[in-house]
Amino acid sequence: CIMNEEASTSPAPSTTESLHDLGDLLRHQSEWAKAVIFDEQCNILASTFEPITGELEAFLTAFDDRATTIGAGLTLGGDDYEVHRFFPNLIYGRRGDSNEGEGICLHRATCACTKKPIYGVITYVLPTISARAVPQLVEFFKTHVEPMQMSNE
C-alpha cells in the first residue's frame, strides 16, 4: 500500500513501510483489545492478533442482511458477540454483562484508489464503551486507511 500524497503531509512511504506503519498505528490504539484491517479477499493488511481461519470471511457478508447478522451475531477470536446496532457501513455489539464485557465493531469503507471495500474489526473492554470506540474506529479509517492506495500486485 502507498499512502495517497493528498491525504498525507509526509512523503508517500513504500508499500512495506505503509503496512508496517499501519500495524504500528493499530498497536498504539490503547483502548482497543484486538484490531484487524483486511480487504475484500480477506488479505490482512494490519492486525494486533491472529484471527482464526475463516472468521474474516463471515464479515464480508455481514452487511448483506440486517436480520441475519443481528440473529447470528459476530465471531472474532473464537468469541461470539451479540449485534445490537446495524448501519450501512457499521455494525457493533458486545458480549458479557454490565460488569464484565467486551464490545465489537465492524466497519466497512472504500479504499480511495481501488474503490473496493476495506474492512476493520476492533474489540474493546470496559471501561471503554461503544460511544467511545466506534467513533475512534471511524476516524482511524478516515485518517489512515481510506486514503491508502492498494497496489494491483
Side-chain angles (χ1 to χ4, degrees):
C1 295
I2 300 174
M3 295 297 294
N4 182 339
E5 288 184 43
E6 293 176 13
S8 175
T9 57
S10 60
S14 72
T15 302
T16 304
E17 290 170 334
S18 292
L19 291 175
H20 179 73
D21 291 346
L22 190 58
D24 284 345
L25 290 167
L26 278 183
R27 285 185 285 282
H28 282 94
Q29 297 297 316
S30 62
E31 294 181 272
W32 299 351
K34 296 176 189 158
V36 60
I37 297 172
F38 58 99
D39 66 15
E40 79 282 358
Q41 296 176 338
C42 297
N43 296 311
I44 296 174
L45 304 177
S47 184
T48 61
F49 76 108
E50 185 67 36
I52 296 172
T53 303
E55 285 183 334
L56 298 182
E57 286 81 359
F59 294 129
L60 299 179
T61 59
F63 292 99
D64 293 350
D65 183 68
R66 180 184 190 276
T68 300
T69 300
I70 288 180
L74 300 173
T75 301
L76 186 65
D79 294 320
D80 296 323
Y81 298 82
E82 293 179 11
V83 169
H84 57 263
R85 295 289 184 265
F86 185 99
F87 301 100
N89 289 311
L90 201 60
I91 298 170
Y92 56 98
R94 64 173 297 148
R95 66 184 185 94
D97 58 30
S98 61
N99 295 320
E100 288 187 30
E102 185 173 29
I104 189 167
C105 181
L106 170 62
H107 181 50
R108 177 178 64 184
T110 302
C111 185
C113 180
T114 64
K115 306 298 183 214
K116 293 183 179 180
I118 193 162
Y119 300 83
V121 182
I122 62 167
T123 64
Y124 44 93
V125 296
L126 293 172
T128 303
I129 59 173
S130 60
R132 179 153 174 88
V134 172
Q136 285 177 340
L137 179 60
V138 171
E139 183 60 30
F140 185 90
F141 260 67
K142 284 181 183 176
T143 304
H144 304 294
V145 180
E146 291 176 43
M148 295 183 80
Q149 294 186 358
M150 308 297 292
S151 70
N152 292 327
E153 299 173 7

